[in-house]
Amino acid sequence: MNRLLIAAFAATWMTGGIAMAQQSQPLSAQASDPGIMGWMQGFPPSPELTIRPGDADFFTFPKLRWTVCHFSQLMPVVNVDRGPEATSSLPEALDPSIGKISFTPLNGGADMTWDEAFDVNYSDGVIVLHRGRVVYERYGGCLDRDRLHAVMSVTKSITGLMAEALIAEGRLDENAPVAALIPELRNSVFGDATVRQVLEMTTALQYSEDYSDPNADVWTYSAAGNAFPKPPGYSGPRSYYEALQGIRKSGTHGEAFGYKTPNADVAGWLITKVTGQSLSEYFAQSVWSRLGQRREAYYTVDAIGTAYAGGGFNATLRDMARFGQMILDGGKAGGKQIVPEAAIARLRAGGDREKFARAGFALEGWSYQCFWWITNDAHGSFTARGVHGQTIWIDPTAEMVIVRFASNPIASNPANDPTSLPAYRAVAQYLMTQR
Amino acid sequence: MNRLLIAAFAATWMTGGIAMAQQSQPLSAQASDPGIMGWMQGFPPSPELTIRPGDADFFTFPKLRWTVCHFSQLMPVVNVDRGPEATSSLPEALDPSIGKISFTPLNGGADMTWDEAFDVNYSDGVIVLHRGRVVYERYGGCLDRDRLHAVMSVTKSITGLMAEALIAEGRLDENAPVAALIPELRNSVFGDATVRQVLEMTTALQYSEDYSDPNADVWTYSAAGNAFPKPPGYSGPRSYYEALQGIRKSGTHGEAFGYKTPNADVAGWLITKVTGQSLSEYFAQSVWSRLGQRREAYYTVDAIGTAYAGGGFNATLRDMARFGQMILDGGKAGGKQIVPEAAIARLRAGGDREKFARAGFALEGWSYQCFWWITNDAHGSFTARGVHGQTIWIDPTAEMVIVRFASNPIASNPANDPTSLPAYRAVAQYLMTQR
C-alpha cells in the first residue's frame, strides 16, 4: 500500500513510463492540442482544466501535451545560464518543398508526407538545419519559437557529451572504476564498473524499468528524485545519489547493452566530482553560454538540487538545433571550439554492435555510445532520443540536423520510429540533391 | 493541530515573517556566510548541511542566507525572458572613497562607514550607480555578479509599476471598483475597493500579518500560495486567487494605509485580466526583455502557476540596478521609452501622508504609492523595500540608484533602517560633490 502511495506520489514524468491510458484510439494531435483542450487557460483556469504539481495524471496523455512546456511551474528546477551575448542568428532558407516530401512508414502503412508526419507523431516543434541554415521550421501544441520544452532522455545525450569532453581533455579516466571517483558508490553495482561501461550502458544493473509492475525499481528511483516533501512514513532514498547507492548488481559488466536511466545519473555525478561544479553550472559554462542561445535552459532537480541528468533538461527548439549543429560541426560554433573534436569523434565511432543487439531493440545494426544512438547507416547518422518522440537527428553526409519535440501519447519510441526514421532519411536524401 | 501542520507545511518564506530564532545575538555576517556554514556544499552535501524543499526552517536564519539565492530549487517557478539582445554595458567608474564614507546610525550608535554597514546589514550585494555609472559594487554571502537573489517585497514595487504603466496607457482604470475587473473578487473585501486604493494599500482588509499568532490570516495565505501538494485533510484555499476571494472587510476603504501583501497579488491579478497575459510574460515583454539584462529572472508560483506578485521575484543585483536606472531616467533605457513617463511621475508624486502616518511606521513624512515608499525628503528619494533588507533606493537629485540584497536575521526593515537610510543619504551627499 505504502509503495503504491509513493508510486502515485512520485511524479510519473520522471520515467515517462506510465503506460498510456488504456484507450485504443487516443485523441488526435489536433483534438489533444492543449489550446483546444483548454488546459490552464484564463486567470484562474477552470477547476476541471487545472493541472497542479503532484497531480497523479499530469504527465499522462492528453495533459502531458501541456506539461511538456511547463515543468518549472510543476517542480523545482535550476536554470542554465545562456551568457551575456546576443542570440546568434540562424540563417534561414526555408524550402516549402520539404513539407511535401513523401516517405513509406516502416510498419508498412501508406506513404505519407513530412508535413503529415508532424501531427501523426504529435509533434510540438520540428526544425531542419541544412548546412547551418533553417530550411524547415514548424510549431504546434504548447510550443512556439521562444518557449521551452522538455527534451526527456535527450538529456542523457547532453550528459554523455559532457563526460566525453572531460575524457578527451584528460580530466576523466574512462578506464577508472566508478568507485575510484565516487566512493559513495563503492557498494553499489556501479562500484566496479568502469566509466566507459557506464557511458555505454553495459553495466549489469539489477533494475527493472517495467512500468506495469508496481514493485519495479523504477518507482523507487522516481520517488527518490521527486523534490517534493516526502509523505509520512516514506523511508526510501531521498535523492538520486541515495537511490544510485542502493542499486545492486546482477550479472557481469560489459557484456550487453541495457537501457537503464541510472547510468546517466552516475555520469552526471562523475561530472560534478571531476569539475567540482553542479551539472547545470558546468554545462552552462562549458557549452550553453557559448552557443549564442536565445533562452536560458533549465534542469528539473531532486530535493538536494541535483539536476536530473537522465531526463530533466528543458530548452527551446532553436537552441537545441544550435547545440546539434555544434556537434555536426565537430564541436565548433561561432569560430570557437566548444567541445573537443576528439569527443565528437569518439561519440560517432559508437559502441559495440553485438552488445547492442543483445538488448533486443528493433534497431538493426545500431550501437550506443555516451548516451547517443549510432545508426551505422550509410550516412553515419547518429541521434539523441527521448520518450514521447524527442529527437536530435544528425546526418553528417547530408549536412543536416533535425530537432523534434513531441508529446506522443505512447511513451515508447518504437511507437513513433516507423513514421520518423524513414522521414528523416527522406529529407536527408532530398537535401543531398540541393546545392 | 491541523492548522499548525499546515503552517509548518506552508513555506514560511512567503511571508518572510517567522520571527527570528530566539537568539539574542545572532551569528555575525561573516560567521553566518553560507560558504562558512557549509550549506549544500559537495556532491552530495552532508546530511546536517542539507536544505530541502519543505524543510520547516529553510527560510530562517542562518539557513536563509543560502536560501535567498536558491529559491528555484526549493519550489516551482516561472522564468522571465531577458530577450535576444546582448547584455547592455554598465559603465564603471569605481570610486574607492565611497566605502570610507561615514554616517551616524539613526539609533544613536557609533558612526560607521559604508563598508562596515555592508556586514552590519548582512548584505549579500550592494551596487551604487551614479549618473548611470557603477561607482560601488560588492558581493558577499551566497551572491556573485551573475547569480540571482530573492528581492522579496521589492516584487510588489515591480507589480505596482506595471499597474501604473497600464493606467498611464489608459488600459487600466484607477477609479474602477476591483469587482468590475475581477468578478471573482465581488464578495471579498476587494470587490468595492478601487484599483487606486489597492495600489495605495488603503483597502480595509480584515487580515492579520502577526507572525507570532498561529491563527493569523497570513498562515492561510501562505499555505494557499505553497505550490506543493497539500497534506491530507487540507481544506483551505489552494491558490493566491482562492485566498484573495476569502479575505473579508473590516472598516472603510481609503482611510488609512495598511501594509498588507494581498493587495499586491490583487494588482497582479488585475494586470493579467487587463493584458490577458501571465504576470511573468507581460513583465518580460513590456520591461525585462528591453533593458539589456544579463540573466532571465524568475517568479516563484503557486500550484496553478500564478506568479507571487507580492514577493516572489528573483534577479541579479546588476539587473535590478538597470531596472532602477530606467525608473530614475523617467522610464527610458537604451534610448527607448520602456514605461510611460507619466507612470513614473505618478509614482514619485506619492500617496497621502496622513493616511500613511496612521499605519504607525517610524518613517516620518513618508507616503506610499503603487507599492513604492516615497520619502518626501529634500532629494525626492523613493524606494522599494523587501524584508531582510532588500532595497532599491532612487535619489533623483543625486542622480543615484542603490540596490542592496541582504539576508538580515531579523525579518523587519526597522531592524536595518537605522544603519541603512542615513548611509544612503551620506553616499548621495558625497556624490553630489562629484562631477
Side-chain angles (χ1 to χ4, degrees), chain B residues 91-160:
Chain B
E92 292 184 28
L94 296 175
D95 182 348
S97 305
I98 291 175
K100 304 186 185 74
I101 293 171
S102 181
F103 68 92
T104 305
L106 293 181
N107 53 9
D111 282 9
M112 69 175 69
T113 66
W114 177 253
D115 266 344
E116 287 164 352
F118 188 93
D119 274 351
V120 166
N121 292 314
Y122 295 80
S123 304
D124 297 321
V126 172
I127 189 167
V128 182
L129 302 188
H130 182 224
R131 296 177 183 158
R133 296 174 310 174
V134 180
V135 293
Y136 183 92
E137 183 175 18
R138 182 175 165 190
Y139 297 92
C142 59
L143 201 63
D144 63 30
R145 186 178 284 189
D146 295 337
R147 207 172 284 270
L148 278 68
H149 192 289
V151 309
M152 306 310 296
S153 288
V154 171
T155 309
K156 294 179 175 69
S157 309
I158 296 170
T159 306

Side-chain angles (χ1 to χ4, degrees), chain A residues 43, chain B residues 166 241 267-279 306:
Chain A
F43 306 101
Chain B
L166 290 169
Y241 295 157
W269 199 352
L270 285 167
I271 292 164
T272 64
K273 289 281 189 181
V274 167
T275 65
Q277 292 179 287
S278 70
L279 201 64
T306 309

Side-chain angles (χ1 to χ4, degrees), chain A residues 236-278:
Chain A
R238 294 160 56 87
S239 68
Y240 291 118
Y241 295 157
E242 285 186 22
L244 294 171
Q245 293 172 61
I247 301 177
R248 298 286 164 250
K249 192 171 177 177
S250 173
T252 308
H253 295 315
E255 292 195 339
F257 170 61
Y259 187 81
K260 314 272 188 185
T261 294
N263 287 291
D265 289 304
V266 169
W269 199 353
L270 285 166
I271 292 165
T272 64
K273 289 282 190 181
V274 167
T275 65
Q277 292 179 286
S278 71

Side-chain angles (χ1 to χ4, degrees), chain A residues 40-51:
Chain A
M40 297 297 280
Q41 288 180 7
F43 306 101
S46 65
E48 72 279 13
L49 293 170
T50 297
I51 300 174

Side-chain angles (χ1 to χ4, degrees), chain A residues 40 43 52-53 72 76-77 79 81-84 86-87 147 227-228 238 269 273 281 294-296 303-304, chain B residues 40 43 52-53 72 76-77 79 81-84 86-87 147 227-228 238 269 273 281 294-296 303-305:
Chain A
M40 297 297 280
F43 306 101
R52 295 171 186 269
S72 82
V77 300
N79 286 329
D81 187 6
R82 88 185 209 15
T87 301
R147 207 172 283 270
F228 294 140
R238 294 160 56 87
W269 199 353
K273 289 282 190 181
E281 285 182 347
R294 171 66 182 83
R295 294 291 310 264
E296 297 194 7
I304 62 169
Chain B
M40 298 298 279
F43 306 100
R52 295 170 186 271
S72 81
V77 301
N79 286 330
D81 187 7
R82 88 183 210 16
T87 302
R147 207 172 284 270
F228 295 140
R238 294 160 56 87
W269 199 352
K273 289 281 189 181
E281 285 182 346
R294 171 66 182 81
R295 294 290 312 264
E296 297 193 7
I304 61 169

Side-chain angles (χ1 to χ4, degrees), chain A residues 80-311:
Chain A
V80 180
D81 187 6
R82 88 185 209 15
E85 310 294 339
T87 301
S88 66
S89 67
L90 273 181
E92 293 184 27
L94 296 175
D95 181 347
S97 305
I98 292 174
K100 303 186 185 74
I101 293 171
S102 181
F103 67 92
T104 304
L106 293 181
N107 53 9
D111 283 9
M112 69 174 70
T113 66
W114 178 252
D115 266 344
E116 287 165 351
F118 188 93
D119 275 350
V120 165
N121 292 314
Y122 294 80
S123 304
D124 297 322
V126 172
I127 189 167
V128 181
L129 300 189
H130 181 224
R131 297 176 181 156
R133 296 174 308 175
V134 181
V135 293
Y136 183 91
E137 183 175 18
R138 182 175 165 189
Y139 297 92
C142 58
L143 201 64
D144 63 30
R145 187 179 282 189
D146 294 337
R147 207 172 283 270
L148 279 68
H149 192 289
V151 310
M152 307 309 296
S153 288
V154 171
T155 310
K156 294 179 175 69
S157 309
I158 295 171
T159 306
L161 188 70
M162 279 190 268
E164 207 67 80
L166 290 169
I167 291 169
E169 291 165 357
R171 299 174 67 188
L172 175 62
D173 177 3
E174 63 181 325
N175 298 313
V178 168
L181 297 161
I182 309 177
E184 294 90 338
L185 287 177
R186 193 175 44 242
N187 298 322
S188 78
V189 56
F190 301 104
D192 64 348
T194 66
V195 169
R196 179 57 65 192
Q197 285 164 340
V198 168
L199 295 177
E200 291 179 342
M201 289 206 191
T202 56
T203 48
L205 269 64
Q206 182 181 317
Y207 183 89
S208 161
E209 291 201 22
D210 177 358
Y211 304 111
S212 62
D213 174 6
N215 291 312
D217 307 281
V218 67
W219 297 117
T220 305
Y221 198 69
S222 181
N226 188 310
F228 294 140
K230 297 289 180 264
Y234 178 85
S235 60
R238 294 160 56 87
S239 68
Y240 291 118
Y241 295 157
E242 285 186 22
L244 294 171
Q245 293 172 61
I247 301 177
R248 298 286 164 250
K249 192 171 177 177
S250 173
T252 308
H253 295 315
E255 292 195 339
F257 170 61
Y259 187 81
K260 314 272 188 185
T261 294
N263 287 291
D265 289 304
V266 169
W269 199 353
L270 285 166
I271 292 165
T272 64
K273 289 282 190 181
V274 167
T275 65
Q277 292 179 286
S278 71
L279 201 65
S280 57
E281 285 182 347
Y282 177 66
F283 185 56
Q285 180 192 300
S286 62
V287 177
W288 200 253
S289 68
R290 304 171 69 201
L291 297 177
Q293 301 294 41
R294 171 66 182 83
R295 294 291 310 264
E296 297 194 7
Y298 64 77
Y299 280 99
T300 59
V301 295
D302 69 10
I304 62 169
T306 309
Y308 180 28

